[in-house]
Amino acid sequence: MKLIKLALVTLSISFALLSRAEDGSRLWLRADADAQAQVSANKKGESIAIAVQELQTQWKGAPVQLNMVGKTRLPNPDAFTITGDSRNGVNISASSEKGLLYGAYHLLRMQETGQLNGELNIAESPSYNLRILNHWDNLDGSIERGYAGQSLWRWEQLPETVSPRYREYARANASIGINGTVLNNVNASPQILKTEMLEKVKVLAGIFRPYGIKVYLSVNFSSPVILDGLKTADPLDKTVQQWWKNKAAEIYRLIPDFGGFLVKANSEGQPGPQDFGRTHAEGANTLADALKPYGGIVMWRAFVYNPSGDDRAKQAYLEFTPLDGQFRDNVIVQVKNGPIDFQPREPFNALFGAMKKTPLMPELQVTQEYLGFSNHLVFLASMWKEFLNSDTYCKGEGSTVAKVTDGTVFPNKLTAIAGVANTGDNTNWCGHHFAQANWYAFGRLAWKHQLTPAEIADEWLRLTFSSDIALVNPVKEMMLSSWETTVSYMMPLGLHHIFAWSHHYGPEPWCAIPGARPDWLPSYYHQADNTGLGFNRTTTGSNAVSQYESPLREILNNPNTCPENLLVWFHHIPWNHTMKNGRSFWEELCYRYDAGVQQVRAFQKIWDRQENRVDAERFCHVQSRLKIQSKDAVWWKDACLLYFQTFSKRPVPYDIERPVNELEELKMIKLHLK
Ligand code: BDP
């Protein structure tokens, strides 16, 4: 008898543990679904039905009424108001179904993060009208720069078989306001536009539609030639124009609310209008004309540079500013936050503010191509806010990047922002549990760029882990310092692109591949020599500073006023240059690398203290990732300091941790990553 009892007890304990097991698959949507709220709506519809169902099962307050109101009251279709009292009766109003859905998710978020205290008086309208994820997913299921498994899209099973994750994906996005998704890689296979692929896209579009998400596709500029054997893809050729018109008609027959095209042209070997002596504007306009009758748009990327040219950081500006005013009104130019390429820290791209007659949309990278893949804990909201808050001075002080892209400074109707997704088919979606916070933060900032990283981290932690302040406070601090920490151990003081060849994971400042494009090698960027370190982009160098407005260009041009965190981005700094704190530049470099290492160690301590507040599965996962991050930070520090020391010929300050690796051994590390 005793034995049986014992067995039962053991069984129930393991059941309890099992039921507490957490694999991260529920993301930030973990509210219990056992509520029985009274919810009514003055209209019927697919999205309203979702809003009603979400509230019925999760809302624990007073009855909720969903009101569809006229456009005069709420002109932005995504906007909503929430009024009333959470204890007596709540009203959510919007002029579209989507708006009501966003209102429902907002109310639930308030409940789950403990922000309800009776009276409700909320009015929200999105910062950007289009809030889009870019998936760099290939048709064979692989993901370029993806670190969370294979693509979510099972092309080989579609259109017949539909994964349950498609709906979960749509729901997660809708809950944070994302309303568009580009399904395939910017290095686009022309095959995506074949009829049989479009039939598959149609199924995804149908699942995403009730969640307010439109589907877009990346297209290859040579599609007319490759798919249908046209003699040319010249955008001014009549047969080519007709081809795009026919293709658009075919797409819209299948997907009436199709969003449009994303195009990477004449960039890193992709075909484009310049192959035919045409401009980016001429290329974009041909596609835009085809989409125009259906309300579709073209997102034309400005990520362009070529090996023979000028300083890579200047090229997008040089190619695009002469075209300002030449694009159709359904074209928006998509510009990466920085002028090079999603580096750990970059100044903003000078195109922001410079294109006065063309709408621009920021492109952020949610996937951590240059920030430790899914091994390092890096909360990117801090980086994105620094970028969005950067002052372009294009219409005087206060013309921040956010304001020049959200319709405030320039009255553009088309406003948008894109994030390169970090999702894959891993159970926890993003590889690292904390990488989910970056997906979340992208959506939240796209919706409301005024939110602070602290507010976003706070919300996310409460939704994803717990509202226990003994967890929220220290872990939030860790998240908030994690980007700066990573910059410190990877590329402090404006260093950039000193990554290992091709995979961009570890350090290889010494990398030299015979015959390689110079602008794909670290020495192009760091310019280390016996006198100092850094790329001279001042008026005595490449003069990239002059692409910025005054007074910013003068501030950047002077090493004494240039922000120190961008010092060697803009200047070749002598090793003995005196920093603001009195240290020499070399010493400061050493201290920054060391600080990065020390901070990751501190993260490990913060996390270990959470053992009793986090389920074992997620706790151990994050703990083991932090170990990797800690080891990698030492690897970065030793590699960079030992290598740059061969130029500086100065000692590593004696009070910081000594190198534990030999430079020659570090140089032999070759990772076989993609
Ligand atoms: C770089 C990536 C490359 C992308 C390219 C792009 O290394 O894989 O194709 O950007 O954005 O960051 O087009």
Side-chain angles (χ1 to χ4, degrees):
M1 186 63 188
K2 253 199 180 151
L3 259 182
I4 294 174
K5 246 194 190 163
L6 199 68
L8 278 177
V9 170
T10 331
L11 206 68
S12 59
I13 290 178
S14 46
F15 264 4
L17 281 177
L18 264 183
S19 65
R20 268 191 282 132
E22 287 277 12
D23 55 17
S25 58
R26 288 189 293 156
L27 295 162
W28 48 86
L29 295 162
R30 304 168 170 259
D32 295 331
D34 55 0
Q36 290 184 337
Q38 279 183 49
V39 185
S40 46
N42 68 349
K43 276 255 161 60
K44 280 204 162 47
E46 276 191 304
S47 309
I48 292 179
I50 296 172
V52 168
Q53 195 253 341
E54 294 278 20
L55 290 167
Q56 273 172 345
T57 53
Q58 294 159 57
W59 173 244
K60 301 192 184 86
V64 182
Q65 167 71 33
L66 300 173
N67 290 314
M68 186 88 108
V69 297
K71 284 210 168 54
T72 38
R73 241 187 82 189
L74 287 167
N76 188 314
D78 294 357
F80 59 84
T81 60
I82 307 179
T83 53
D85 192 297
S86 55
R87 294 159 304 204
N88 301 323
V90 182
N91 268 299
I92 303 181
S93 303
S95 63
S96 81
E97 289 199 41
K98 265 195 302 176
L100 292 175
L101 186 60
Y102 293 140
Y105 283 123
H106 190 94
L107 185 66
L108 289 171
R109 178 166 48 240
M110 290 184 74
Q111 168 180 282
E112 294 305 303
T113 54
Q115 293 176 60
L116 290 172
N117 40 23
E119 218 182 299
L120 289 157
N121 198 3
I122 288 157
E124 293 251 338
S125 187
S127 299
Y128 293 97
N129 288 332
L130 306 178
R131 306 170 295 278
I132 304 181
L133 282 182
N134 288 185
H135 290 273
W136 286 359
D137 295 20
N138 298 312
L139 303 188
D140 66 0
S142 62
I143 306 180
E144 182 153 343
R145 314 303 178 185
Y147 314 107
Q150 294 286 103
S151 174
L152 288 166
W153 328 131
R154 297 285 157 103
W155 295 115
E156 73 292 352
Q157 297 177 358
L158 284 162
E160 293 83 14
T161 308
V162 166
S163 153
R165 290 197 100 179
Y166 301 153
R167 204 186 67 85
E168 292 166 22
Y169 165 86
R171 177 176 180 239
N173 279 323
S175 76
I176 50 175
I178 288 171
N179 66 0
T181 179
V182 183
L183 297 176
N184 61 320
N185 193 354
V186 286
N187 297 316
S189 162
Q191 306 303 320
I192 191 72
L193 290 181
K194 284 183 101 168
T195 307
E196 68 197 64
M197 285 307 296
L198 296 175
E199 300 278 359
K200 298 171 194 251
V201 173
K202 175 188 168 169
V203 174
L204 292 178
I207 298 168
F208 301 163
R209 186 171 298 116
Y211 288 92
I213 295 164
K214 278 191 185 183
V215 160
Y216 301 74
L217 294 175
S218 295
V219 298
N220 183 301
F221 204 74
S222 293
S223 298
V225 176
I226 297 168
L227 290 184
D228 283 321
L230 264 61
K231 289 205 183 59
T232 175
D234 181 348
L236 298 194
D237 183 286
K238 291 275 175 287
T239 55
V240 172
Q241 293 176 344
Q242 193 55 47
W243 189 90
W244 285 107
K245 285 189 176 138
N246 294 346
K247 194 43 88 178
E250 181 187 356
I251 295 174
Y252 281 93
R253 265 197 304 276
L254 293 166
I255 309 162
D257 58 350
F258 179 70
F261 295 147
L262 171 63
V263 192
K264 172 175 178 177
N266 293 120
S267 160
E268 298 186 329
Q270 292 298 321
Q274 293 175 345
D275 304 348
F276 312 95
R278 312 298 183 194
T279 67
H280 284 289
E282 288 167 325
N285 291 347
T286 291
L287 271 53
D289 290 343
L291 297 169
K292 178 79 178 176
Y294 313 95
I297 61 159
V298 171
M299 296 171 284
W300 192 269
R301 294 175 91 227
F303 178 65
V304 293
Y305 63 101
N306 58 57
S308 53
D310 210 341
D311 173 5
R312 173 172 170 184
K314 290 164 61 182
Q315 295 186 28
Y317 181 101
L318 292 175
E319 271 190 47
F320 278 79
T321 47
L323 304 175
D324 195 14
Q326 295 180 25
F327 293 92
R328 298 281 191 268
D329 64 1
N330 59 333
V331 176
I332 186 162
V333 175
Q334 180 165 314
V335 185
K336 289 187 182 181
N337 57 292
I340 299 278
D341 186 10
F342 297 139
Q343 293 303 293
R345 173 180 259 124
E346 297 197 32
F348 70 88
N349 190 319
L351 273 173
F352 293 106
M355 298 282 277
K356 301 194 166 41
K357 296 181 219 131
T358 311
L360 298 192
M361 60 188 286
E363 177 179 319
L364 307 172
Q365 196 179 40
V366 189
T367 190
Q368 291 169 232
E369 172 182 357
Y370 293 102
L371 286 159
F373 294 6
S374 51
N375 282 338
H376 295 197
L377 188 162
V378 191
F379 182 51
L380 297 173
S382 320
M383 165 158 68
W384 300 334
K385 277 294 279 196
E386 178 174 290
F387 159 69
L388 290 165
N389 286 342
S390 301
D391 202 337
T392 71
Y393 292 94
C394 73
K395 289 265 169 104
E397 203 175 334
S399 318
T400 61
V401 170
K403 288 186 181 161
V404 301
T405 52
D406 74 355
T408 308
V409 170
F410 305 116
N412 298 322
K413 284 205 203 74
L414 196 50
T415 64
I417 187 164
V420 180
N422 64 353
T423 49
D425 68 357
N426 278 4
T427 308
N428 73 8
W429 298 88
C430 303
H432 195 307
H433 289 284
F434 277 77
Q436 297 178 354
N438 292 330
W439 178 8
Y440 184 87
F442 170 72
R444 296 291 287 134
L445 280 175
W447 178 271
K448 188 174 185 177
H449 59 56
Q450 293 85 356
L451 288 173
T452 64
E455 285 167 327
I456 299 170
D458 196 278
E459 275 179 9
W460 179 80
L461 281 168
R462 286 169 196 268
L463 295 169
T464 309
F465 285 103
S466 129
S467 281
D468 182 349
I469 54 155
L471 178 140
V472 173
N473 289 347
V475 178
K476 182 167 58 185
E477 285 313 310
M478 167 170 83
M479 289 172 76
L480 294 178
S481 59
S482 61
W483 170 54
E484 202 69 69
T485 294
T486 308
V487 171
S488 296
Y489 65 70
M490 282 188 181
M491 291 173 220
L493 300 169
L495 276 170
H496 52 289
H497 230 315
I498 55 175
F499 289 96
W501 178 254
S502 157
H503 59 66
H504 301 158
Y505 186 77
E508 245 180 42
W510 51 80
C511 175
I513 308 257
R517 279 174 65 159
D519 58 347
W520 282 356
L521 292 174
S523 55
Y524 175 93
Y525 300 97
H526 65 62
Q527 307 263 324
D529 59 22
N530 293 343
T531 61
L533 182 69
F535 197 129
N536 182 357
R537 296 193 163 104
T538 69
T539 41
T540 65
S542 81
N543 201 18
V545 287
S546 296
Q547 295 183 339
Y548 293 95
E549 298 276 348
S550 282
L552 185 57
R553 64 167 74 137
E554 289 79 16
I555 294 172
L556 297 174
N557 198 44
N558 177 344
N560 298 316
T561 53
C562 177
E564 287 191 338
N565 59 25
L566 290 172
L567 200 55
V568 299
W569 183 285
F570 288 108
H571 298 267
H572 190 72
I573 293 291
W575 297 113
N576 64 359
H577 170 88
T578 307
M579 302 294 287
K580 295 204 175 81
N581 60 13
R583 286 180 187 144
S584 73
F585 170 70
W586 165 252
E587 285 169 341
E588 184 62 13
L589 191 70
C590 296
Y591 281 107
R592 293 280 177 120
Y593 272 107
D594 192 56
V597 169
Q598 301 311 326
Q599 280 151 2
V600 184
R601 301 240 166 91
F603 293 171
Q604 290 183 280
K605 291 183 192 155
I606 292 173
W607 188 250
D608 280 356
R609 289 200 177 92
Q610 299 305 324
E611 186 156 7
N612 297 329
R613 298 186 194 95
V614 177
D615 52 278
E617 201 171 336
R618 288 188 296 171
F619 175 78
C620 292
H621 197 264
V622 172
Q623 185 185 50
S624 75
R625 297 281 158 130
L626 282 169
K627 287 179 190 156
I628 300 176
Q629 189 170 359
S630 209
K631 279 187 261 183
D632 286 351
V634 174
W635 175 26
W636 271 100
K637 164 178 172 271
D638 285 2
C640 297
L641 290 185
L642 291 173
Y643 174 70
F644 291 133
Q645 194 178 34
T646 65
F647 299 96
S648 81
K649 310 227 168 26
R650 287 157 186 256
V652 170
Y654 296 110
D655 56 338
I656 70 170
E657 201 175 298
R658 317 317 296 159
V660 293
N661 295 289
E662 296 291 351
L663 180 59
E664 291 315 311
E665 280 168 22
L666 293 173
K667 282 187 177 176
M668 282 175 339
I669 298 177
K670 287 276 169 262
L671 299 180
H672 297 285
L673 303 167
K674 57 173 182 133

